[in-house]
Amino acid sequence: MANFVEKESVFTRIAKYLFPWKGDSTVEIVRKIIFLSAAVVLVVSLSTLIITAVNKVDDTHLNDQLSEIYHQKTGSTTVEIDTSRREELETEYPEVQEQFLPLLEINEDVVGWITMGDEEKPFIDYVVMQGDDNKYYLSHNYKGEESVSGAIFADYHVPLSAEHQPANIVLYGHNMSSGEYFAMLTRYNNYRPGNSIDFYKKYPTLKFSTLYKTSTYKIFAGMLVNTRKQEGDVFNYIRYREFDGKAAFDDYCAKILDRTTFYSPDVDLQYGDNLLTLSTCSLTDLGSNRELRWVLFAREVRDGENEEVNVDLAYENPDPLYFDYYYSVRGGSWGGRKWPAEYIRGYSY
C-alpha cells in the first residue's frame, strides 16, 4: 500500500516562513522577529506617507478655496448667505469686514486672516481660528474636520472682539514637512543651516486682519525657544498677552532682544505698541531635544508710520541667549546684554 503524506497548504508554508514556529532554532526565531518588525515599520511608514499626502491635497484644496473667498478673487468659489442670516452675522459681529462674512457662515470660530510673502504668491495665506482651548485646532481644520495639519489659531485666553484684542496676539501653527501653515517661519532663523538673514530682508513685514481691521506688522525678532525645564531656561512667551504698564512691556521686549537671532534697528518698540507672536515647532540637530519652538515677533505699524522697513540696517545677533542644553551641545555661553537700549523707547539698563 502506498504511503500518502499530506501536503502543507501555501498559506501554512508562508506562515512558517514568516512567523516563529514550533521547532525553529533560536537564530531562525530572531530572524523572523527582525523581519516582522521591519515589515511593521515599513507598513506604518507607508501608511503615514499616504495619509500625509492625502491630507495635504485636501488641505491645499480647502485653503485655496478659502483664499479665493477671503480675497474675493474674480471667478472665486462663492458662499451664498441669505439676507436674514447676513443680518444675524452683522448684528453678532458689528463692524465686521465684508470678506469675513462668508467664512463666519461656515464656522464662527474665525477671528482673522494672516498673509506673508509676495502679494501674488504668498507663502502663508490662511484663515485664523480661535477655539475654547489651545488643543482643538491642533488636530482640526477650518471646517472642524479632523486633520493632522490642524489650522492656524489664536491663543484662547483673550478672545479677539470688536471691543478688545490682547496687547500681544499669539498665533500657533504646525511646521508641516509639506511646507504648509507655519513651516516657512523657520526660514527666518538665520542661524539654521541653509538659511541667512536675507530671508528677513526680503520679507520684513506681514499682514494680519482681525474681523474688524487689517494691519501691517513689522517683524523685529525671532528666537529658538526651549520648552523643557530639564533642558534649561524656558522663556514662556505665550503668557505675555497683556502688560500692567511700561515696565512690564519693556522687560518683555528686552527678554526678546536678548534671545533674537537678528536685529532690525528700523523697527523700534514702545509701550502701547500692539504685538503679534507667531509660534511653531522647530526640528534641529540638537540630539534628543525635540520640544523646541521657533517664534517670530512683530509689532503693528503705528498711525502715520511708513509701512516700509529699512532692511539695510538689519544684522545678525552674534550672541543670542540660548538655554543650557543648546550650550552643552554647541558649546559656548551667553556674553550678556549688548544691544542698544534705544531699540526700546525710554528704556535703559
Side-chain angles (χ1 to χ4, degrees):
M1 182 181 291
N3 293 323
F4 293 93
V5 179
E6 184 179 353
K7 291 185 177 179
E8 293 180 336
S9 68
V10 173
F11 295 108
T12 301
R13 292 201 299 272
I14 292 174
K16 282 186 173 181
Y17 179 80
L18 294 177
F19 301 99
W21 210 264
K22 184 178 179 180
D24 283 348
S25 66
T26 302
V27 173
E28 186 67 6
I29 292 173
V30 171
R31 179 192 71 78
K32 291 179 178 179
I33 291 174
I34 292 174
F35 175 81
L36 289 172
S37 299
V40 170
V41 171
L42 178 61
V43 170
V44 171
S45 298
L46 288 175
S47 299
T48 301
L49 288 173
I50 292 171
I51 291 172
T52 300
V54 171
N55 190 83
K56 181 183 184 302
V57 172
D58 291 343
D59 275 356
T60 299
H61 178 67
L62 174 60
N63 289 325
D64 286 346
Q65 286 185 331
L66 295 179
S67 179
E68 290 176 354
I69 294 170
Y70 176 77
H71 294 294
Q72 301 177 344
K73 297 178 181 177
T74 303
S76 65
T77 303
T78 58
V79 176
E80 297 295 334
I81 308 175
D82 63 50
T83 303
S84 61
R85 179 57 178 152
R86 175 180 286 272
E87 290 176 353
E88 289 178 6
L89 288 171
E90 290 176 342
T91 299
E92 186 175 356
Y93 302 94
E95 302 177 18
V96 64
Q97 297 192 78
E98 175 71 22
Q99 64 268 34
F100 280 108
L101 288 174
L103 304 182
L104 288 167
E105 168 67 6
I106 301 172
N107 189 336
E108 291 193 42
D109 280 350
V110 171
V111 293
W113 191 278
I114 183 169
T115 303
M116 300 177 70
D118 298 315
E119 184 174 348
E120 293 302 317
K121 193 175 181 181
F123 54 81
I124 288 177
D125 192 39
Y126 298 111
V127 66
V128 177
M129 315 301 291
Q130 188 173 43
D132 296 327
D133 55 42
N134 285 341
K135 295 180 180 180
Y136 184 78
Y137 284 107
L138 285 173
S139 57
H140 291 79
N141 64 19
Y142 158 76
K143 287 186 173 181
E145 302 166 335
E146 289 193 7
S147 167
V148 297
S149 305
I152 307 300
F153 63 96
D155 190 280
Y156 80 99
H157 287 91
V158 184
L160 301 182
S161 67
E163 296 76 26
H164 179 72
Q165 69 177 45
N168 180 23
I169 299 173
V170 182
L171 303 184
Y172 306 96
H174 284 308
N175 178 357
M176 301 300 295
S177 59
S178 61
E180 294 179 293
Y181 297 94
F182 273 179
M184 290 293 287
L185 294 186
T186 59
R187 291 289 303 277
Y188 285 91
N189 183 354
N190 46 291
Y191 285 130
R192 187 177 181 183
N195 291 355
S196 74
I197 199 171
D198 290 341
F199 192 79
Y200 168 75
K201 290 183 175 183
K202 187 174 182 180
Y203 303 111
T205 64
L206 63 91
K207 293 282 188 183
F208 177 64
S209 299
T210 66
L211 299 182
Y212 311 101
K213 70 172 183 176
T214 297
S215 301
T216 297
Y217 283 75
K218 297 182 176 183
I219 299 167
F220 66 88
M223 70 172 71
L224 193 64
V225 178
N226 169 49
T227 63
R228 303 198 307 197
K229 291 182 179 179
Q230 63 269 34
E231 307 289 11
D233 172 62
V234 175
F235 179 47
N236 195 4
Y237 58 94
I238 64 174
R239 72 180 180 86
Y240 294 89
R241 297 176 290 271
E242 305 284 7
F243 304 101
D244 292 335
K246 175 175 168 53
F249 175 86
D250 290 356
D251 180 66
Y252 174 65
C253 292
K255 289 176 179 175
I256 293 173
L257 294 178
D258 288 342
R259 293 165 173 79
T260 183
T261 62
F262 62 87
Y263 291 118
S264 186
D266 194 43
V267 189
D268 64 349
L269 302 160
Q270 67 177 6
Y271 178 56
D273 283 337
N274 291 317
L275 304 182
L276 183 67
T277 300
L278 312 180
S279 175
T280 193
C281 295
S282 178
L283 298 180
T284 70
D285 57 352
L286 291 179
S288 64
N289 192 325
R290 298 189 180 275
E291 298 295 328
L292 301 176
R293 301 288 183 269
W294 173 254
V295 188
L296 211 59
F297 301 87
R299 70 151 173 85
E300 188 177 19
V301 171
R302 301 167 189 143
D303 291 341
E305 182 184 18
N306 191 318
E307 293 188 356
E308 300 296 320
V309 175
N310 184 356
V311 294
D312 291 337
L313 300 177
Y315 63 98
E316 294 185 332
N317 180 1
D319 185 25
L321 172 59
Y322 289 111
F323 40 92
D324 294 345
Y325 187 80
Y326 181 95
Y327 293 119
S328 70
V329 174
R330 299 284 177 81
S333 61
W334 188 46
R337 184 172 290 174
K338 299 183 180 67
W339 44 269
E342 58 264 27
Y343 286 1
I344 305 174
R345 292 188 183 183
Y347 181 75
S348 62
Y349 62 85

